[in-house]
Amino acid sequence: MTDVETSARSYRAVRTVLIVIVVAGLAIDAYVHFDLAKAYSPVKTSTLSQGDLFRAEAVVSILAALLLLFHPRRWTAAVAAVVAGAGLAAVLVYAYINVPRIGPIPAMYDAVWYTEKTISAIGEGAAFVAALILVFIPWGRTARTAVGAHGRAVTS
């Protein structure tokens, strides 16, 4: 096996591991939000409940995970990073800042860190970091190197 083939395989292996981390993190996020949605449904405005927002977060997490899993590209990793990062940002903001109601979005301040909330935040954080790495590591042609006529490895 040549250095070029070894390098290409290494990048594929790293991308595969990172995709698995992103998908697992988003799956954890979705499970926890679906599980907690009913308990948080009483927190609401006239149009939206926190349970509705939890269900929406779960659905978007599933869609981002499936998109990355079945169409692994730099842009689908970016979508996953936005979804995971937004979920992590929301849990951190609402845990440490008492944000008042914003239009149809209810006040969702919850300073208590219980097991499911912590697991969700860890899953979102892991998915966010892994997805960001996927955005910035070489994909496709940039991951392949070729040996030029002068005998040195060059990036194509």
Side-chain angles (χ1 to χ4, degrees):
M1 184 178 306
T2 67
D3 288 342
V4 173
E5 292 168 332
T6 302
S7 178
R9 280 189 181 192
S10 294
Y11 276 115
R12 279 194 301 272
V14 167
R15 281 196 309 268
T16 300
V17 168
L18 290 169
I19 288 168
V20 168
I21 291 169
V22 174
V23 170
L26 289 172
I28 290 166
D29 178 42
Y31 173 80
V32 169
H33 280 85
F34 271 135
D35 190 50
L36 294 175
K38 186 174 181 181
Y40 282 92
S41 288
V43 179
K44 60 184 174 180
T45 62
S46 60
T47 53
L48 274 178
S49 75
Q50 190 171 352
D52 296 333
L53 294 172
F54 274 29
R55 287 180 199 93
E57 166 72 15
V59 168
V60 171
S61 291
I62 290 168
L63 292 175
L66 290 174
L67 186 62
L68 181 61
L69 187 63
F70 291 109
H71 194 70
R73 302 286 186 274
R74 188 181 310 270
W75 72 268
T76 57
V79 168
V82 168
V83 170
L88 180 60
V91 75
L92 292 174
V93 165
Y94 284 107
Y96 296 110
I97 301 170
N98 191 354
V99 179
R101 175 183 163 188
I102 303 169
I105 300 171
M108 298 184 289
Y109 179 66
D110 184 7
V112 178
W113 281 92
Y114 46 90
T115 304
E116 278 187 302
K117 184 177 183 178
T118 303
I119 290 170
S120 176
I122 291 168
E124 291 163 342
F128 177 66
V129 170
L132 273 183
I133 294 169
L134 279 169
V135 168
F136 292 106
I137 65 170
W139 283 77
R141 299 187 115 189
T142 59
R144 294 184 202 110
T145 58
V147 177
H150 50 0
R152 289 186 230 145
V154 294
T155 304
S156 59

